[in-house]
Amino acid sequence: MTPSKPPAPRRRSEATRTAILDAARERFAADGYERATIRAIARDANIDPSMVMRYYGNKEGLFAAAVTIDLRLPDPSSLSREEVGRALVTHFLAMWEESDVLTALLRVGATNEAGAERMRGVFRDQVLPLARRFCPDPEQVPVRAALVSSHLLGLALTRYVLRFPPAVALDAEEAVAWLAPAVQRCLTAPYPQ
């Protein structure tokens, strides 16, 4: 009888990464970003904490890899061209209000390359397709989507991360009233001359 071979290093590596990510998702969901620790995640995955660091570098890198963000954007065909700005700002404000994960991802994305890449992926996969539907010039879609994102992320940064008192004090209706026309213009207006 031939002894069985140990699993190939690549398969072990993939299994370890999967265990780490599964444990991280559960821990971040249960404890939030601030209270979740590498040690607790490693303990949950039954591995040494140094393995988490080896694969993900730090907590921010692990968070960026573990968290999948579905913005649950409205179906573009359900939005009218005249109201898309208002609908997007209203939607994003509701998402930021209900999800600490988005705030944590914004913090991580601003300071960590893995987090920034996660944010770029969300932009590429979820925001660009929506902008494509409303932009009057297909060549301008990436720029216009980036401008929309700058408005929405700027509000999120000042309201939920930096907590500027005037931004925090705005009620949702005021924030929508101020920001929706800018987002609308970025998506649908003719190119500025």
Side-chain angles (χ1 to χ4, degrees), residues 97 155 158-159 163-175:
E97 291 289 333
L155 176 63
T158 58
R159 185 175 175 99
R163 304 199 47 81
F164 288 6
V168 173
L170 278 175
D171 68 35
E173 287 179 23
E174 285 179 293

Side-chain angles (χ1 to χ4, degrees), residues 25-101:
R25 286 184 191 104
E26 288 181 25
R27 183 62 60 177
F28 285 127
D31 295 347
Y33 178 80
E34 296 300 326
R35 291 192 333 237
T37 66
I38 294 291
R39 287 189 187 285
I41 291 165
R43 185 176 54 247
D44 294 348
N46 294 316
I47 61 163
D48 188 87
S50 67
M51 294 300 290
V52 176
M53 303 303 279
R54 174 181 172 200
Y55 289 120
Y56 299 102
N58 55 31
K59 184 170 143 179
E60 292 86 1
L62 175 60
F63 180 80
V67 175
T68 302
I69 299 294
D70 179 359
L71 297 176
R72 300 186 320 262
L73 291 173
D75 177 7
S77 66
S78 72
L79 300 174
S80 76
R81 182 174 185 79
E82 297 75 26
E83 288 295 314
V84 66
R86 175 170 288 286
L88 280 180
V89 175
T90 301
H91 177 79
F92 271 92
L93 272 173
M95 293 232 18
W96 287 101
E97 291 289 333
E98 72 184 36
S99 176
D100 290 338
V101 171

Side-chain angles (χ1 to χ4, degrees), residues 23 40 45 49 91 122 135 138 141 182-183:
H91 177 79
V122 169
C135 182
V141 167
V183 169

